[in-house]
Amino acid sequence: ISTTRASTDLAIVPDLPRSVIQDQKAMLLDLIAAAEAGPLGYDAVQYGARIKPSKPPTQMTIAEIFDWIDATPRQPHAIGRYQFIPDTLDYLVTKLGISRNQRFSPTVQDQLAHALLRQAGLARFLAGELNRHQFMNGLARIWAGLPNSSGKSHYHGYAGNKATMTWARFDAQMARIFGDA
């Protein structure tokens, strides 16, 4: 995860009402979740994890998720609707000041994903500083299920990662959500 500074203020895009931006973010998160988690959504655990958590992730605290990670070395640990990997989860929880005693609820997972959207350049994209393909490549650097402009996952082959949709489908869905920006 890059720690570059990203604006969290949606006011930098004055021509779009806040409700439109929120709807677009929700649709974008749905697209990312479709690429990452499949039908299990917020309770998804990476398919390659041989030992799954003892209960659904949304019923676990963040501390319990880290306990599961520590107790099951040498296996993939991506978890939740957005398939957070341990280093990313640790970074975000620390950066956002979320207690490890907090339940890994859908609300918390969405909060973490919103931070990653900012990191990928959402505010810069909405302000017209990044074009759609640049933003898509930024998203693909964060989420392994999304293709970059090469058509492959930025993490292709690493821990079994691959893009779960084509670049053409990703681009078409982004155009549907955001227009031809």
Side-chain angles (χ1 to χ4, degrees), residues 42-45 53-61 64-65 79 104:
Y42 292 103
D43 284 321
V45 176
S54 60
K55 54 189 174 182
T58 57
Q59 294 178 18
M60 299 172 72
T61 65
E64 288 173 320
I65 289 170
I79 193 163
F104 195 56

Side-chain angles (χ1 to χ4, degrees), residues 101-117:
N101 294 321
Q102 177 71 42
R103 192 172 52 84
F104 195 56
S105 67
T107 300
V108 166
Q109 292 183 45
D110 287 347
Q111 180 182 4
L112 299 172
H114 282 115
L116 292 176
L117 289 178

Side-chain angles (χ1 to χ4, degrees), residues 2 4 7 21 24 27 29 33-34 38 41 50 59 61 76 84 87 124 126 130 143 150 152 155 160 162 166 175:
S2 166
T4 56
S7 173
I21 293 169
Q24 289 172 323
M27 289 186 286
L29 289 176
R50 297 173 314 285
Q59 294 178 18
T61 65
F84 298 102
D87 287 346
R124 292 178 56 221
L126 293 174
L130 293 177
W143 283 286
S150 75
K152 292 185 176 184
Y155 304 96
K162 64 181 181 179
T166 66

Side-chain angles (χ1 to χ4, degrees), residues 93-143:
V93 165
T94 301
K95 179 181 178 184
L96 298 175
I98 297 172
S99 168
R100 288 182 180 239
N101 294 321
Q102 177 71 42
R103 192 172 52 84
F104 195 56
S105 67
T107 300
V108 166
Q109 292 183 45
D110 287 347
Q111 180 182 4
L112 299 172
H114 282 115
L116 292 176
L117 289 178
R118 288 190 298 272
Q119 186 175 17
L122 178 63
R124 292 178 56 221
F125 169 64
L126 293 174
E129 296 170 15
L130 293 177
N131 68 39
R132 186 173 68 237
H133 291 167
Q134 290 169 320
F135 179 51
M136 289 167 61
N137 279 314
L139 292 168
R141 279 189 292 278
I142 293 172
W143 283 286

